[in-house]
Amino acid sequence: MSDLTNAATSAPRVTVIGTGYLGATHAICMAVLGFDVLGVDVAEDKVDRLNAGEVPFFEPGLPELLTKALDSGRLRFTTDYAEAGAFGDVHFLCVGTPQKPGSNAADLTYVESAVSALAPHLNRRSLIAGKSTVPVGTAARLAGLVRELAPSDEVELAWNPEFLREGFAVEDTLRPDRLVFGVASAWAEEQLRAAFGPVIENGTPVVVTDLPTAELVKVAANSFLATKISYINAMAEVCEATGADVQQLAQALSYDTRIGGRFLRPGLGFGGGCLPKDIRAFAHRAEELGVGQAVAFLHEVDAINRRRRERTVDLVRELAGGSLSGVRVAALGAAFKPDSDDVRDAPALDVARMLQEGGAIVRVYDPQAVENARRAYPDLEYATSTFDAARDADVVVLLTEWNEFREVDPNALADVVAHRRVVDGRHALHAEGYRAAGWEYRALGRP
Ligand code: UDX
């Protein structure tokens, strides 16, 4: 990444508020790019772990970069907002916007409290750049809050949505597909261009726009991705009723360059801390704005996605002979996707929970997410390896497509299970290999 490094003396000093998946990655990468960075979080334990060189979550490549950034002396973390206010020229806002309990709306508590904590310490010209995913109109409202609370009247607010994918967070931060700058002045644009200098020099396209458009870009992008996944999963439902094969259908569609094959992988569907809550919050916000009908299809996208989870449970039940009662199930995967330890709205754990509620004895194994899964679902049983989970199982169900699971030898696995029955919830296993080893193999949308 040396070609990206830029330690220009005129570079703005950067704070990153919130050190979760997004903020920690952003802070570390900005320091690696040559900026002086201060990460801020209210959680003291997180700040201590990061200052000690420990990334508090699983993200490939990030621990090495954290070490590099700390060694450079350009990165540290604090809980002190006064220090952040004094330090930063550009303050990136990276706190979470989860789904509000009991509603489809986004919970803006963390965004509001971060701005309220930071603004009173802004005594000089500086920029707050929001990266969190927020309902359109939030930035304008926060700008009002900043005007009210900041001692300097030269503090501006911009929106710079973040598109990073977990598992590819480093690459997506250092070499994003695009940068979007929602700004209210040429000065704010200049600040953001300076803060992303090395990334822009690397050829990244920049879209400069207003605040509401920048806010909308993010939810529009995630809604499109979710729709694409639900589209192919809707085709899987039709395939199930007709004996057609959705995997071959998806392959055939993917060669049409107008459609493309990415995000067209059928299976158990989408989960995680972004796609599900973002489409719900978007639909909710659109209803508030009186344009709910324009994105009403997102409710169907959500419903298709939920049905995949139920259908996966049905397949396990069918393979087990019609009842889940007392059936031993090996559940392979807990994270919402491979190369992550994130279990927020994880389809895998939802399926494991439903199987257990149906009377099955479920043992879950995941290469990285067992600890988080145990915290979220303490009543499930957890195993220490694929073979540990599969021992004496009546049905094996693959729920997250880690490479480790793809590479399992179906003959070796056959030796430890009680019955050779496998449900491939992610179309990730080699069906013929399993069948040749004597397994009954079933996958959503395939004969
Ligand atoms: C997503 C967006 O991709 C990213 O741009 C945004 O910043 C945050 O939300 P992420 O949540 O990390 O990123 O995961 P992503 O790779 O998009 O996958 C989301 C879910 O969709 C996963 O559960 C995955 O298993 C599922 N998925 C993805 C499919 O079911 N089929 C596909 O073809 C692709």
Side-chain angles (χ1 to χ4, degrees), residues 214-263:
E215 292 170 312
L216 272 175
V217 170
K218 176 60 187 281
V219 285
N222 275 356
S223 296
F224 188 87
L225 295 172
T227 303
K228 204 170 170 191
I229 298 168
S230 276
Y231 179 82
I232 198 63
N233 283 334
M235 294 306 110
E237 288 190 24
V238 178
C239 286
E240 278 154 27
T242 55
D245 185 327
V246 72
Q247 205 172 38
Q248 288 168 2
L249 177 77
Q251 189 193 357
L253 291 179
S254 75
Y255 291 126
D256 185 330
T257 51
R258 294 169 304 175
I259 298 173
R262 297 181 69 187
F263 274 72

Side-chain angles (χ1 to χ4, degrees), residues 48-73:
D48 290 345
R49 286 169 77 178
L50 285 161
N51 275 328
E54 190 195 331
V55 178
F57 50 86
F58 178 78
E59 183 61 47
L62 200 57
E64 296 82 346
L65 285 193
L66 174 59
T67 306
K68 188 173 164 186
L70 290 173
D71 287 350
S72 74

